[in-house]
Amino acid sequence: MKQVYICSPYAGDIESNVRFAKAACRYAAEQGCAPVAVHLMYPQILDDSIPAQREIGIRMGLRVLASCDELWICGSSISHGMNCEIAEAERLGIPIRNISAELIQGGRHMKLYDSMERAFLPEEAPSPGMKLIL
């Protein structure tokens, strides 16, 4: 079973973003994959509004990412944390797939998207005190 890292926004509209991340995990499971969504787990033990704890969460997530077979970018917006995850997947040579919100919410089988087909919008700026070394 392929282990896929679910890369989707957390900050901002947290309630809606958590619902979407859960839907993305269900979608991955329906595709026969084992989803990993660290942004559903780590905010339970770390405070995302505290820059030092946010940085710890991102670092732990990047460590988990290293054990995954693929990274799935879910939805159309890219947050700072997601940018860190995408850069690390590229550095490690982990395949990246773009999965549209429509596909996740519609529950259809996966269609692979060329990264050039969709434009991504940055969702948030890095935290002022954040220092990530990849």
Side-chain angles (χ1 to χ4, degrees):
M1 179 177 280
K2 186 184 305 185
Q3 182 168 297
V4 298
Y5 190 97
I6 301 299
C7 181
S8 67
Y10 178 77
D13 183 354
I14 293 172
E15 187 176 321
S16 177
N17 290 342
V18 164
R19 266 194 316 272
F20 180 71
K22 288 178 180 181
C25 287
R26 278 190 299 277
Y27 176 78
E30 290 167 357
Q31 304 308 308
C33 298
V36 176
V38 297
H39 56 305
L40 293 179
M41 180 176 64
Y42 292 149
Q44 304 302 310
I45 57 173
L46 298 169
D47 187 338
D48 196 59
S49 68
I50 299 172
Q53 289 190 27
R54 178 173 168 76
E55 182 177 348
I56 290 167
I58 290 174
R59 287 182 185 276
M60 291 189 316
L62 296 179
R63 173 60 188 94
V64 171
L65 170 60
S67 68
C68 292
D69 299 304
E70 291 181 353
L71 177 138
W72 287 9
I73 301 170
C74 299
S76 60
S77 62
I78 304 290
S79 68
H80 170 71
M82 292 171 68
N83 273 324
C84 294
E85 294 164 339
I86 293 164
E88 183 69 356
E90 288 173 343
R91 187 184 77 76
L92 294 171
I94 295 171
I96 299 171
R97 295 186 183 207
N98 297 313
I99 311 296
S100 72
E102 296 79 19
L103 193 60
I104 290 166
Q105 293 164 337
R108 296 180 306 272
H109 286 287
M110 181 168 51
K111 172 186 173 193
L112 301 181
Y113 290 87
D114 184 321
S115 60
M116 299 305 288
E117 287 183 30
R118 294 178 31 230
F120 295 102
L121 304 172
E123 185 173 89
E124 64 182 56
S127 302
M130 183 174 285
K131 296 175 193 138
L132 286 177
I133 301 171
L134 298 178

